[in-house]
Structure formats: structure tokens, C-alpha cells
């Protein structure tokens, strides 16, 4: 897996196996994950030409996996931007705090699972891009 350039983002290999019956992948909640999960949520039945995300977090770490289909994930740490594709259930994307992320270009039937390090708290979301940039820059200063 090619290393990511965006600060606090990385690929996580998801172990698995395959035989004549099909494939299985599994993710242990251990040191490879990098945090103790507090919440799971999933995205599905996404309307054509829609997006998800468009925010950053002050505290949350997210591990994002595609269960079916594919999408693009746009990452921005206020210094570096890059776009990656989620299309392999054997590869998860870790997104750290203060990384603006947006998911787009969902293929029909896409299902995305997100494992979060925190419970939902609207106050820890950065939904305004300029506020995100200011806080992210101050954090790096």
C-alpha cells in the first residue's frame, strides 16, 4: 500500500482469507487499529451524485472501510490534499483528527463502514472549512 501524504492518515491492511465459498476479512480491535472503538456507523443507499463528510474532527479518529462498491475520499490536513479510492474490503483508511474529509463518486450499491474513536458529539465537528483551516493551522504552529 502506498503511504499517504496527508498528516495522521494511513492505510491499514485488513487480514482475510478466501476459498471456494468466497472471501472473509476481519479487523481486530487491537493496536493496529490505533484506538479503542466507541461507535460504528455505516453509509448506504447514497443517492447518485451525492457526497458525505465535508467536515473534520477535533478529537475523533476514524477507520473507514468499503463493504461493497467504491468511492473516492478527499483528504485535506490544511497543508496537503490528496484523493484516494476506497474499493477494497482488504484495506481500511485511518483518518486522524484535524483532517477535512469528503466522500464522493459512490458507485451504485456502495456500503461504507466507519469505526470511530469517540461517541457522537456535534461540538467536536468542524463543519465550516475556514474554521477548520484556522484551527488546523493553529494546531500545527
Amino acid at each position: 500500500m502506498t503511504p499517504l501524504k496527508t498528516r495522521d492518515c494511513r492505510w491499514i491492511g485488513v487480514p482475510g482469507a478466501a476459498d471456494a465459498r468466497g472471501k472473509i476479512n476481519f479487523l481486530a480491535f487491537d493496536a493496529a487499529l490505533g484506538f479503542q472503538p466507541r461507535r460504528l456507523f455505516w453509509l448506504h443507499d447514497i443517492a447518485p451524485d451525492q457526497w458525505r463528510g465535508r467536515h473534520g474532527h477535533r478529537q475523533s479518529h476514524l477507520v473507514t472501510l468499503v463493504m461493497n462498491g467504491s468511492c473516492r475520499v478527499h483528504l485535506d490536513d490544511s497543508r496537503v490534499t490528496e484523493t484516494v479510492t476506497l474499493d477494497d474490503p482488504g484495506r481500511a483508511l485511518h483518518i486522524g483528527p484535524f483532517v477535512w474529509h469528503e466522500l464522493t463518486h459512490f458507485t451504485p450499491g456502495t456500503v461504507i463502514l466507519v469505526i470511530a474513536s469517540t461517541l457522537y458529539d456535534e461540538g467536536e465537528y468542524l463543519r465550516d472549512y475556514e474554521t477548520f483551516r484556522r484551527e488546523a493551522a493553529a494546531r500545527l504552529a
Side-chain angles (χ1 to χ4, degrees), residues 37-116:
R38 298 289 310 274
R39 178 171 53 115
L40 301 174
F41 60 93
W42 44 98
L43 310 173
H44 57 95
D45 294 326
I46 300 149
D49 300 320
Q50 290 300 305
W51 53 268
R52 300 298 309 212
R54 280 194 188 161
H55 61 259
H57 294 276
R58 290 181 174 98
Q59 298 174 1
S60 292
H61 290 260
L62 307 175
V63 170
T64 307
L65 301 102
V66 64
M67 301 284 96
N68 188 62
S70 69
C71 72
R72 292 186 193 151
V73 183
H74 309 278
L75 303 167
D76 178 347
D77 66 11
S78 82
R79 291 188 177 171
V80 173
T81 61
E82 65 185 316
T83 299
V84 299
T85 300
L86 283 180
D87 62 358
D88 179 358
R91 185 176 70 166
L93 174 63
H94 176 270
I95 302 170
F98 288 96
V99 175
W100 187 267
H101 52 282
E102 178 179 354
L103 288 73
T104 64
H105 296 86
F106 293 91
T107 59
T110 295
V111 178
I112 303 291
L113 173 66
V114 182
I115 305 166

Side-chain angles (χ1 to χ4, degrees), residues 24-44:
I24 183 172
N25 288 89
F26 45 89
L27 189 60
F29 294 161
D30 60 10
L33 193 61
F35 59 85
Q36 196 62 30
R38 298 289 310 274
R39 178 171 53 115
L40 301 174
F41 60 93
W42 44 98
L43 310 173
H44 57 95

Side-chain angles (χ1 to χ4, degrees), residues 127-141:
R127 296 192 186 275
D128 176 75
Y129 184 70
E130 291 309 316
T131 302
F132 160 77
R133 289 200 42 90
R134 274 194 313 276
E135 289 192 29
R139 183 173 177 253
L140 295 174

